[in-house]
Amino acid sequence: MPNWLKDAVFYEIYPQTFKDTNNDGIGDINGIIEKLDYVKSLGCNAIWINPCYDSPFKDAGYDVRDYKKVAPRYGTNEDLYRLFGEAHNRGIHVLLDLVPGHTSEEHAWFLESKKAERNEYSDRYVWTNAAFQGIGGHPYIGGEAERDGCYMLNFFKCQPALNYGFLNRTEDWQKAPDDPECIATREAMKDVMRFWLDHGCDGFRVDMADSLVKEDDENKSATGSIWKNIREMLDKDYPEAALVSEWSNPHQALKSGFHADFYLDHHGNGYNTLIRDNETPGGDHSFLKKDGDGDIFRFLDDYLPKYDGTKDYGYISFITCNHDTPRPRRTLSYHELKIAFAMFLTLPGVPFIYYGDEIGMRYLDIPTKEGGFARTGSRTPMQWDDSKNHGFSDCNPDTLYLPQDPAEDAPTVAAQEKDPDSLLNEVKALVTLRHKYPDLQADGSFEVLFAEKNSFPFIYRRGMLMVAINPSEKEASVSLIDNDHYEDLAKVSDEYHYDNSDIVHCIGKCDVTQTKITLGPQSFAVIKLD
Ligand code: GLC
Ligand code: CA
C-alpha cells in the first residue's frame, strides 16, 4: 500500500476545461501547472487527470489513439513530465487515467488488427471468424474492415474491445485468458504503465477496470487475476504507485489488487440515497436534503457491509461527483453541499473532489460534446473569477470548449476566497481538519454510534473523534445516556469526557455536554474524546 494514500485527498481535473493558457478555448497541461498552487490551497495533495492522450475525442479522450503521447491540444509529453515535477515540488501526487479495456478505432494496433493478412495485432482485439458471424450478448461491428470477421465493442462504436480472452468459451474464436495473445495484451498495458511511471507519474485511475475478460464468472476472478499480476509488477518495481479502480465493487476490486475503488452512483448504490434520490423516479428522499425526510439506513445498508468486508484490503473512495455524473449542486443547495462535504471528508477511505464542486458549480443543461451526452453538463469550464470567460481562457467566447454558467450568481473561486462563509472556505477547513487528525484519514476506524430513521443527528466515531451530522432544517438532539439501544454511544459517555471546548470543528450551531449532543438546523460537529 503506497503510504501517501493514507492521507490523500484527491482533486479530479478534466483537462479540457480546467485552465486554458494558449487561448484556443481548451484547457491544457500548462493550465494545470499554473493552477497547482490553487489545488494545494484546497489542501488537496493528489490529482487525477482524465485521459490526456492523443485521441480523435469521440468519447472525450477515453478513445485513446496513442497511449504514450499527450494530445497536441493539451501540449507535449515534456509539458506533462514538467507537470509531474511541479506537482511533486508541492507535495502533490499525480494519477493518470488508464484505459485498458479498449482503444480508439484509430489506434495503430487496431488499424493492423483490421487487416486481412494475419499480423502481430490480429488477436489484440476480439474478432469473430466471419463478417456474418456476430457476437451474442455484446455490441459488435461487422462489414467495416477487409478482415473477414466482426469485432467487439467495449463502450461506444469508436471503442473496440481489447482482447483479454473469455473465461467461459462457447465459440472457437474465443481465446482463453491465458492464451499467449491475451497475455500479450496485458503485457502491452503494463508497458504503457511503465512508460508513464518511469516519467514520474504516481499511478492510475483505471477506466472500466472490471471489463477485461469477457464471460468472466460472477466474482470476475479472471479479470481479477490480470490485476493481481499487474499489482505484482507495481509492488516489485513501483511500490509507491497507486491503483484506483472504476469498478464500484470493492469486494472484487480491492481483493484483485486495487488500492482503492470508487463508490459510484451506480444503480442500487448508496450514493444517490445521500444526495439525489429526490429526483429519481420512485426514489425516496435524500439524506442530505434539509427536508429531513431521508433515511440514513438506505446508505448504511449498502455501505457498511462493503466497508467491513474490505477495510483490510484497501479503501473505498467517495466522490463529490465525477465527469460522468451530475454535479451535486444539481440537487443540493450551497448549505446542503457544506454538510455533504463534511460527511464525505470525514468518512474512511480516500476522498475525491471533482473540480468546481468545491465552489458549487452548477450542472448545465447543454448539448452534447465529444460523446458526453447527459454527462456534458458536468464538464463546463472552471469558473475562476469574474473576468472574461470567468478567467478560464482569454479566447473568443464562441470558441470555448463548452459554454459556462450564464447566471449572474455563477460561483467563482475569486468571490468565494473572499467570503469567510463560502463553500470553498468550508471545504478548505474540512480538508485541513482531515490532515490534522490521522483518525479522520483513510485507515482510521469507523463505527456508527447513532443512526435512526426520521431522527437526527447521525453520529459516528472515527478513532478518538465523534462526528455528528444534522442535515435537517430542524434542531436535533440525542441523549448519550439511558440509550439502551445504542450501547456504543452510552459507552462513549461512560468512558470519555467532553464538552463544548472539545468541539474541533463545527458548521452551524452545536452544543455538547457529557450527556447530550444538540445540533442546530443543518449543522455538523466533530468532537474530541479524551
Ligand atoms: C468510463 C469513463 C467514461 C467513459 C467510459 C468508456 O466509465 O469514466 O467517461 O466514457 O468509461 O471509456
Ligand atoms: Ca489551450
Side-chain angles (χ1 to χ4, degrees), residues 59 62 99 102 155 159 205 207-208 246 323-324 375 379:
D59 184 18
Y62 283 94
V99 189
H102 47 268
F155 197 70
Q159 291 154 317
R205 173 269 186 186
D207 185 70
M208 292 177 63
E246 184 197 31
H323 63 290
D324 292 332
R375 307 176 293 185
R379 299 175 174 184

Side-chain angles (χ1 to χ4, degrees), residues 481-498:
I481 47 169
D482 308 326
N483 230 323
D484 301 344
H485 208 63
Y486 292 94
E487 279 173 31
D488 292 331
L489 192 62
K491 233 169 49 203
V492 162
S493 76
D494 281 350
E495 289 176 15
Y496 304 102
H497 295 282
Y498 42 80

Side-chain angles (χ1 to χ4, degrees), residues 116-407:
E117 322 78 67
R118 273 202 65 83
N119 59 59
E120 192 187 338
Y121 300 98
S122 297
D123 293 319
R124 181 59 53 90
Y125 298 82
V126 179
W127 289 87
T128 67
N129 284 336
F132 297 107
Q133 183 183 22
I135 305 176
H138 296 271
Y140 66 90
I141 298 287
E144 285 280 310
E146 275 170 29
R147 176 172 174 167
D148 189 13
C150 294
Y151 60 92
M152 188 188 281
L153 302 175
N154 216 35
F155 197 70
F156 285 152
K157 187 254 163 193
C158 61
Q159 291 154 317
L162 283 162
N163 192 5
Y164 294 89
F166 287 69
L167 183 62
N168 294 302
R169 295 175 294 284
T170 50
E171 308 285 340
D172 55 1
W173 48 265
Q174 297 173 340
K175 299 206 170 295
D178 60 359
D179 185 284
E181 300 289 349
C182 302
I183 298 292
T185 309
R186 183 193 75 197
E187 293 303 310
M189 214 42 67
K190 282 158 78 174
D191 174 61
V192 168
M193 295 172 80
R194 284 183 174 279
F195 176 82
W196 291 111
L197 292 167
D198 289 341
H199 279 104
C201 133
D202 300 294
F204 301 91
R205 173 269 186 186
V206 179
D207 185 70
M208 292 177 63
D210 61 333
S211 75
L212 305 190
V213 175
K214 308 306 179 194
E215 310 303 342
D216 207 344
D217 59 22
E218 60 176 338
N219 297 321
K220 302 243 170 172
S221 55
T223 297
S225 299
I226 294 177
W227 291 115
K228 284 181 195 154
N229 175 279
I230 291 175
R231 172 70 183 267
E232 273 173 31
M233 170 183 88
L234 295 185
D235 286 350
K236 186 166 155 282
D237 295 339
Y238 309 93
E240 285 298 294
L243 266 192
V244 182
S245 51
E246 184 197 31
W247 194 313
S248 211
N249 187 326
H251 288 288
Q252 294 177 355
L254 302 182
K255 290 172 192 173
S256 300
F258 282 94
H259 298 110
D261 184 36
F262 288 116
Y263 193 71
L264 298 175
D265 70 340
H266 290 171
H267 196 65
N269 212 330
Y271 178 93
N272 284 347
T273 74
L274 294 173
I275 74 158
R276 59 163 149 267
D277 243 15
N278 294 41
E279 65 170 12
T280 314
D284 218 317
H285 282 262
S286 312
F287 175 73
L288 293 164
K289 294 292 294 177
K290 70 172 181 185
D291 59 24
D293 243 357
D295 176 1
I296 191 64
F297 286 105
R298 301 175 60 237
F299 163 69
L300 290 176
D301 289 349
D302 177 65
Y303 173 70
L304 277 180
K306 287 179 178 162
Y307 170 72
D308 287 332
T310 62
K311 60 176 188 283
D312 297 334
Y313 297 87
Y315 306 127
I316 292 176
S317 278
F318 275 83
I319 58 169
T320 59
C321 87
N322 69 24
H323 63 290
D324 292 332
T325 73
R327 286 193 180 272
R329 177 75 195 284
R330 188 167 89 175
T331 43
L332 303 184
S333 68
Y334 276 116
H335 206 86
E336 286 167 338
L337 273 175
K338 283 189 187 174
I339 307 291
F341 269 98
M343 181 170 169
F344 287 4
L345 290 170
T346 54
L347 287 173
V350 180
F352 280 69
I353 298 171
Y354 183 56
Y355 84 97
D357 280 348
E358 73 277 21
I359 55 169
M361 269 173 61
R362 292 187 172 88
Y363 172 86
L364 301 186
D365 194 7
I366 48 177
T368 185
K369 173 99 177 185
E370 295 184 349
F373 300 96
R375 307 176 293 185
T376 310
S378 296
R379 299 175 174 184
T380 60
M382 181 68 177
Q383 293 153 200
W384 295 104
D385 55 38
D386 273 340
S387 67
K388 185 177 171 189
N389 302 320
H390 285 302
F392 162 69
S393 168
D394 211 14
C395 70
N396 179 327
D398 296 342
T399 59
L400 275 180
Y401 176 83
L402 280 173
Q404 289 180 305
D405 186 348

